[in-house]
Amino acid sequence: MDKIIVEGGNRLTGEVEISGAKNAILPVLAATLLTRGVNKITNAPKVRDVNTMVRLLADLGARVERHDDGEIDLDTTNINNHAAPYELVSTMRASCLVLGPLLARLGRAKVSLPGGCAIGARPIDLHMKGLEAMGATLKLEKGYIDASVDQLRGTQFYFDTVTVTGTANLMMAAVLADGETVLENVAKEPEVVFLADLLNQAGAKIEGQGTDIMTIQGVTSLQALECKILPDRIEAGTYMIAGAMTQGDVWVKNCEPKHVEALTLKLISSGVSVETHETSIRVFCDRRPHGVNIKTRPHPGFPTDFQAQFMALMTLAEGQSIITEDVFENRFMHVAELNRMGANIELEGRSAIVSGVARLSGAPLMATDLRASASLVLAALSAEGESVISRVYHIDRGYEEIEKKLSQLGAKIRRVK
Ligand code: UD1
């Protein structure tokens, strides 16, 4: 298994190009199941989760061509399988995004239940209840959801909890349903809006994306999808924090500054300098930041996907910071590892109380989930001495060429097989 070795202590300076968004392309790939034709997706990030979703679609009958320049062409004329197996779903929860599209397309879907994961129980009960409200019958058998329907029909559904993939799943199902669907308390993440806009370009009738209520008039067919995936806001924010944490000067290029506004404002209030331009952001800093508090929330709140990386920054702040995780119930796996590097973090329920220290020291570290792994890389970059991070397949799920991009910024980082 690969390991990443980091020699800490270098200031990061220079430019880093942001890749396409993992959380945008996964639902877009699933949405190709709603079409019959050749879908063209460009700016696809080269990350493991995309490989997993492409494999799943190929299993379902799509003909896939991947190009070196980040284009993926998927011919979905012949979708002839309705099963998403445990082997794939267990490595990536977002595989459950095929549930709605398969039901809409074939009237049948058999998808493994994802089960728990490192950051919490993460059920998909709301995806299931919503599809039932649209007329589907769902049975649970041997760890699989077996769903069937003659024709999905429009409904009114309220999400008790804001869920990103739940919103995407029901929106995709509703696009080809009979009649009008009203989805209330939906996710407003940029990737959800991107998906809705793309489906509309292909002939769907969705209104209200980006607000709490979406209304979808069902149509009978969609044209093939064609899009350039928007930049990955979580990758952009991770490099912004890397610049701040190493007291460096980093230009994050090819990003959408509006999508990282909550992070930008928190960095500024901790004393970090952030300059925002049309499609790039400069982050620079020449001293320790001050402790600031954050609470994670659905968009436009502070994203849970930045919580671990921001905590890494706060370990080196002057003063105290209280970090409250309100989206997932158990997303603090990085705390023990950061403490092993000399951080001072105490957990109290859903909050972490971080008392800043002057320095961290390198250590052997274990990656536990995607964003926790990113926080360990950030901590290792600013620590004294060497860190060896194992189980880096977690990082490869969502960060394209992380060691290459960080090396270009002056980090001493390498991967060993
Ligand atoms: C998506 C993102 C992930 C991000 C998360 C929250 C993708 C591919 N992944 O994950 O990077 O961390 O949003 O911003 O876009 N919940 C239920 N029942 C459900 C569904 C969700 O109780 O049926 C709960 C979850 O347990 C969690 C909360 O809702 O506590 C939010 O989860 P959700 O938005 O669904 O996360 P994902 O869509 O899986």
Side-chain angles (χ1 to χ4, degrees):
M1 246 185 280
D2 293 8
K3 291 183 176 175
I4 285 182
I5 301 178
V6 180
E7 184 66 44
N10 276 19
R11 278 184 82 228
L12 298 192
T13 56
E15 295 182 359
V16 60
E17 286 281 331
I18 298 308
S19 302
K22 167 184 92 71
N23 286 356
I25 191 170
L26 296 177
V28 166
L29 287 168
T32 63
L33 293 169
L34 298 168
T35 73
R36 285 164 207 269
V38 180
N39 299 266
K40 262 188 197 318
I41 300 168
T42 58
N43 201 32
K46 297 189 179 86
V47 296
R48 247 169 41 118
D49 275 7
V50 171
N51 303 345
T52 307
M53 189 58 108
V54 163
R55 236 180 86 196
L56 174 55
L57 290 171
D59 260 25
L60 298 174
R63 288 181 48 190
V64 186
E65 260 182 51
R66 286 188 81 164
H67 304 268
D68 287 344
D69 63 358
E71 177 172 325
I72 305 181
D73 300 336
L74 294 107
D75 183 345
T76 48
T77 313
N78 294 310
I79 297 300
N80 46 21
N81 175 10
H82 63 266
Y86 177 74
E87 297 75 63
L88 291 179
V89 182
S90 60
T91 61
M92 184 185 73
R93 292 185 83 263
S95 319
C96 68
L97 281 164
V98 299
L99 187 56
L102 277 177
L103 264 182
R105 168 84 181 249
L106 302 174
R108 190 84 202 274
K110 190 171 173 189
V111 176
S112 170
L113 262 182
C117 67
I119 64 176
R122 293 181 97 178
I124 56 164
D125 55 319
L126 298 170
H127 305 226
M128 293 162 67
K129 282 182 189 150
L131 291 169
E132 275 172 344
M134 295 175 82
T137 306
L138 274 72
K139 283 187 288 189
L140 268 182
E141 261 174 21
K142 298 184 181 161
Y144 279 78
I145 302 168
D146 201 340
S148 57
V149 70
D150 285 337
Q151 167 64 47
L152 290 167
R153 52 171 196 270
T155 189
Q156 188 161 12
F157 184 77
Y158 176 85
F159 287 94
D160 291 328
T161 306
V162 177
T163 155
V164 176
T165 49
T167 301
N169 228 340
L170 292 196
M171 169 169 60
M172 291 188 284
V175 158
L176 294 184
D178 201 4
E180 180 182 275
T181 301
V182 180
L183 300 177
E184 303 200 11
N185 197 26
V186 293
K188 294 177 280 200
E189 269 63 5
E191 295 78 16
V192 171
V193 176
F194 182 81
L195 176 66
D197 291 344
L198 175 63
L199 290 169
N200 279 347
Q201 278 166 30
K205 292 188 177 159
I206 305 170
E207 282 177 8
Q209 56 270 37
T211 73
D212 293 318
I213 301 180
M214 271 199 280
T215 306
I216 302 143
Q217 306 291 343
V219 296
T220 49
S221 64
L222 288 185
Q223 291 142 30
L225 309 179
E226 204 166 321
C227 69
K228 178 178 178 198
I229 297 296
L230 81 172
D232 194 311
R233 63 194 166 102
I234 309 299
E235 190 195 21
T238 302
Y239 287 105
M240 289 167 70
I241 297 173
M245 242 184 122
T246 59
Q247 298 189 11
D249 188 345
V250 170
W251 278 90
V252 178
K253 294 277 178 173
N254 178 37
C255 65
E256 180 49 78
K258 225 163 165 46
H259 294 170
V260 289
E261 214 160 64
L263 174 67
T264 298
L265 294 174
K266 282 294 176 183
L267 285 174
I268 291 172
S269 55
S270 75
V272 174
S273 302
V274 184
E275 267 175 23
T276 295
H277 302 264
E278 202 177 334
T279 58
S280 64
I281 301 175
R282 178 182 173 208
V283 175
F284 53 107
C285 181
D286 58 9
R287 67 185 96 92
R288 288 169 66 189
H290 343 286
V292 292
N293 300 337
I294 60 163
K295 267 190 192 165
T296 64
R297 288 267 189 266
H299 192 78
F302 191 92
T304 174
D305 283 350
F306 285 145
Q307 182 256 103
Q309 302 91 313
F310 200 82
M311 190 184 300
L313 173 68
M314 289 294 100
T315 63
L316 289 173
E318 301 216 29
Q320 199 178 65
S321 152
I322 300 177
I323 296 183
T324 305
E325 174 55 59
D326 265 351
V327 177
F328 292 109
E329 71 273 24
N330 183 27
R331 202 173 197 177
F332 284 132
M333 305 292 280
H334 41 288
V335 167
E337 295 298 284
L338 292 172
N339 279 345
R340 290 180 53 252
M341 301 178 80
N344 182 354
I345 311 168
E346 279 177 42
L347 283 180
E348 268 188 34
R350 291 185 90 143
S351 294
I353 296 145
V354 187
S355 304
V357 295
R359 65 189 60 83
L360 298 174
S361 55
L365 300 165
M366 186 89 80
T368 50
D369 71 68
L370 172 56
R371 305 305 169 187
S373 321
S375 80
L376 299 184
V377 172
L378 296 180
L381 289 170
S382 38
E384 281 176 2
E386 185 182 273
S387 297
V388 179
I389 305 171
S390 49
R391 300 202 181 157
V392 297
Y393 52 85
H394 288 292
I395 304 183
D396 297 334
R397 287 188 45 207
Y399 289 91
E400 179 171 331
E401 299 190 314
I402 191 167
E403 34 334 335
K404 190 167 157 205
K405 291 187 184 187
L406 285 169
S407 297
Q408 281 165 358
L409 291 172
K412 285 194 182 147
I413 180 169
R414 66 196 160 89
R415 179 182 290 251
V416 290
K417 295 280 175 193

